[in-house]
């Protein structure tokens, strides 16, 4: 069965420092991977996805993610964090059953301190 | 353009009552999804529509839950005989074609069953 793990409940980083939010996955077949961000009282916003191609995927708001097949990881990164990046981040994998059903991780809260 | 909208934003109901939650997807999106998000967890898939038909309803927890999309646009999630355990945020998402494309989420309906 497909699954996603986000091993950190919370990540703390100082503004201006690089940030990494970790995600590992377990799938049968080729993985289709997504990152979403959730701000308070708002819906999930799409950041980026990996379907195929380059292992480094660039997305919205300066975020990028690195797909690593051997480590079954899809970590979210940003070179320089902003206080406004503070939010809840979700990694998701598309179900292998042929439809676009997403299986989400439990989420990681990112706190960027001034 | 307009995003996914959901009404109501909040719904408080008594145990045993019937509720309907509405979702207006992005115009032109053929795929529509319902997820449920409990506190501190990632969204969990409920049902997926391709056009008017439910292509995958494997996430519906029991037969008290039902969803329709009669004209291939607006969808209604219906919950009969609500229970306190149904309290959660119900998220709707739509995507262009339901294959590898990203899903766009609405702000959610917070359901509280007292």
């Amino acid at each position: 069965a497909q699954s996603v793990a986000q091993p950190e409940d919370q990540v703390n980083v100082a503004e201006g420092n690089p940030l990494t939010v970790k995600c590992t996955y377990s799938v049968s077949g080729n993985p289709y991977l997504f990152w979403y961000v959730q701000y308070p009282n708002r819906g999930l916003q799409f950041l980026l996805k990996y379907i195929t191609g380059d292992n480094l995927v660039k997305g919205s708001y300066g975020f990028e993610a690195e797909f690593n097949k051997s480590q079954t990881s899809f970590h979210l990164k940003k070179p320089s964090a902003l206080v406004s990046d503070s939010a809840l981040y979700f990694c998701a994998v598309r179900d292998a059953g042929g439809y676009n059903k997403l299986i989400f991780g439990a989420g990681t809260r990112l706190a960027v301190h001034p | 353009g307009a995003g996914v909208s959901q009404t109501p934003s909040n719904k408080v109901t008594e145990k045993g009552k019937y509720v309907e939650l509405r979702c207006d997807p992005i115009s032109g999106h053929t795929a529509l999804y319902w997820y449920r998000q409990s506190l501190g967890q990632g969204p969990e898939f409920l049902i997926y529509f391709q056009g008017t038909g439910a292509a995958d309803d494997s996430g519906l927890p029991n037969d008290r839950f039902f969803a329709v999309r009669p004209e291939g646009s607006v969808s209604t999630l219906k919950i009969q005989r609500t229970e306190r355990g149904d309290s959660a945020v119900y998220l709707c998402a739509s995507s262009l074609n339901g294959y590898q494309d990203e899903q766009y989420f609405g702000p959610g309906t917070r359901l509280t069953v007292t």
Side-chain angles (χ1 to χ4, degrees):
Chain A
Q2 278 66 233
S3 65
V4 171
Q6 294 182 243
E8 302 154 317
D9 291 336
Q10 178 151 334
V11 170
N12 297 294
V13 64
E15 187 175 29
N17 282 2
L19 70 88
T20 299
V21 182
K22 296 179 180 178
C23 172
T24 59
Y25 64 88
S26 174
V27 300
S28 55
N30 294 323
Y32 299 154
L33 298 157
F34 301 79
W35 275 102
Y36 284 83
V37 59
Q38 188 173 40
Y39 295 100
N41 300 316
R42 294 174 64 178
L44 291 158
Q45 295 181 29
F46 169 75
L47 280 178
L48 49 81
K49 67 180 179 182
Y50 172 84
I51 302 297
T52 186
D54 289 341
N55 290 342
L56 187 63
V57 179
K58 293 188 182 299
S60 305
Y61 312 120
F63 283 93
E64 57 190 27
E66 187 172 8
F67 171 68
N68 188 315
K69 187 173 182 178
S70 63
Q71 296 184 6
T72 62
S73 67
F74 189 56
H75 299 334
L76 182 70
K77 300 182 179 184
K78 188 173 182 181
S80 178
L82 300 172
V83 172
S84 58
D85 292 331
S86 299
L88 194 53
Y89 290 81
F90 290 96
C91 182
V93 64
R94 175 180 175 263
D95 186 72
Y99 299 122
N100 214 16
K101 172 172 104 177
L102 293 179
I103 298 165
F104 285 87
T108 298
R109 185 164 300 281
L110 174 66
V112 181
H113 304 285
Chain B
V4 177
S5 62
Q6 293 186 246
T7 55
S9 55
N10 282 283
K11 176 72 176 178
V12 180
T13 190
E14 294 180 347
K15 179 176 177 297
K17 299 290 188 182
Y18 168 83
V19 296
E20 290 190 352
L21 312 178
R22 176 188 169 107
C23 172
D24 282 86
I26 293 172
S27 177
H29 281 192
T30 63
L32 184 145
Y33 315 79
W34 284 98
Y35 293 83
R36 178 168 72 172
Q37 186 176 20
S38 299
L39 193 63
Q41 298 181 21
E44 293 180 304
F45 170 80
L46 294 177
I47 187 170
Y48 158 62
F49 287 90
Q50 182 59 256
T52 61
D56 183 354
D57 64 358
S58 61
L60 295 177
N62 51 59
D63 61 6
R64 295 187 297 106
F65 289 74
F66 188 72
V68 296
R69 195 185 184 199
E71 298 179 356
S73 179
V74 170
S75 175
T76 304
L77 178 65
K78 308 180 180 194
I79 309 174
Q80 298 177 322
R81 304 183 304 280
T82 51
E83 299 177 357
R84 292 193 180 90
D86 298 335
S87 297
V89 176
Y90 289 81
L91 298 170
C92 176
S94 69
S95 69
L96 190 60
N97 59 35
Y99 182 47
Q100 297 175 349
D101 49 333
E102 56 272 24
Q103 297 175 26
Y104 294 90
F105 283 79
T109 293
R110 182 176 298 278
L111 175 67
T112 303
V113 181
T114 62

